[in-house]
Amino acid sequence: MVISRKVQLRLNVFFVTAAIVLIVILSMYELGYLDELLTVLAEDNYIFYWMMLIGFLAEIVAGSMGMGYGVICTTTLLFLNIPPHIVSASIHSAESFTTAAGSISHVKLKNVSKSLVKKLAIPAVIGAIIGALCLTYLGEYYAKITKTLIAFYTLYLGFQILSNAFKKKQSKALKRKTNLTRLGLIGGFIDSFAGGGWGPLVTGTLIKNSFTPRFAVGSSTVAKFILTLTAAVTFFFTLGIQHWSIIAGLLLGGIVTAPFSAMLTAKLPVKSMFVVIGLLVIIMSSITIYKSVF
């Protein structure tokens, strides 16, 4: 089997990261700190390990379908009664690393249009800052209302994911005019405020409007990295680091899966995954809405 440059890059990052983690664990064992670390990781009903599992599964889905990481993580964290502002802050902090790896891959493979990135990223940064600031205030003081609104949004995305399984391939059409400034601004705000949604909204719109798929995905990924980093920094200054166990779990789970997600793309039944993930998001979002209302 021939391994592509993108997969090889992910494998290199994986093995280097694994080596560093192994060295750190062995060093902590020798110094006698390993037991203390395991005790800390067991806090809050072993949430670190649950987050690692969620990050692992979400990255498999995102790697094979090109979207869904934020939606799955947000839906699951809301289902586990994590406050909305902690949900988005944690996801964006973890995604800062995973989207960076994806962006590097797309740049190396020349899948990025600089002009498209600029037109999307600048308004996306503004939207991300506004979304993070709004969520910081609303998520803390109006948590129940905010949680319900975000759950309704993830419910909508669940139906969108489900509908992708039954879409027929469209014939090639002329490129439709797209207001990239508005698309980036709205996409940045929604992604920051709701914890996800950039992929289905922005990447989906670009491909639907007949942008070249490789440039649509590559440029959107780079713009996503810029807005994700912006949101993470904004949350850091407004909330601080009060959610490190969630971030570490999501990040570690994603890192373990990322090198192999590209290879899994050809193996996994994508249509079936759209159905399963769509139904799962719909069910979990519905339960969250029910618990919030009643």
Side-chain angles (χ1 to χ4, degrees), residues 10-11 47 54 104 132 145 156 161-162 182 201 210 221 249 261 271 275:
R10 289 187 173 190
L11 285 171
I47 193 169
I54 293 168
I104 292 171
I145 297 174
Y156 162 74
I161 292 172
L162 186 62
R182 183 173 60 192
L201 176 62
S210 300
T221 299
S261 59
K271 182 176 180 178
V275 173

Side-chain angles (χ1 to χ4, degrees), residues 140-220:
E140 188 172 354
Y141 296 101
Y142 302 100
K144 188 174 181 180
I145 297 174
T146 307
K147 183 177 179 180
T148 306
L149 290 173
I150 295 175
F152 270 112
Y153 177 64
T154 56
L155 179 66
Y156 162 74
L157 290 179
F159 281 109
Q160 286 288 98
I161 292 172
L162 186 62
S163 68
N164 285 334
F166 306 101
K167 280 183 179 178
K168 295 180 180 179
K169 289 186 178 179
Q170 297 178 340
S171 57
K172 201 166 186 179
L174 292 173
K175 186 185 294 186
R176 301 178 189 175
K177 189 174 182 180
T178 306
N179 189 322
L180 296 174
T181 301
R182 183 173 60 192
L183 182 64
L185 181 66
I186 295 173
F189 175 83
I190 290 177
D191 193 90
S192 181
F193 185 84
W198 175 269
L201 176 62
V202 178
T203 309
T205 299
L206 292 176
I207 294 175
K208 182 181 178 183
N209 289 1
S210 300
F211 280 80
T212 305
R214 60 182 283 239
F215 289 117
V217 174
S219 303
S220 178

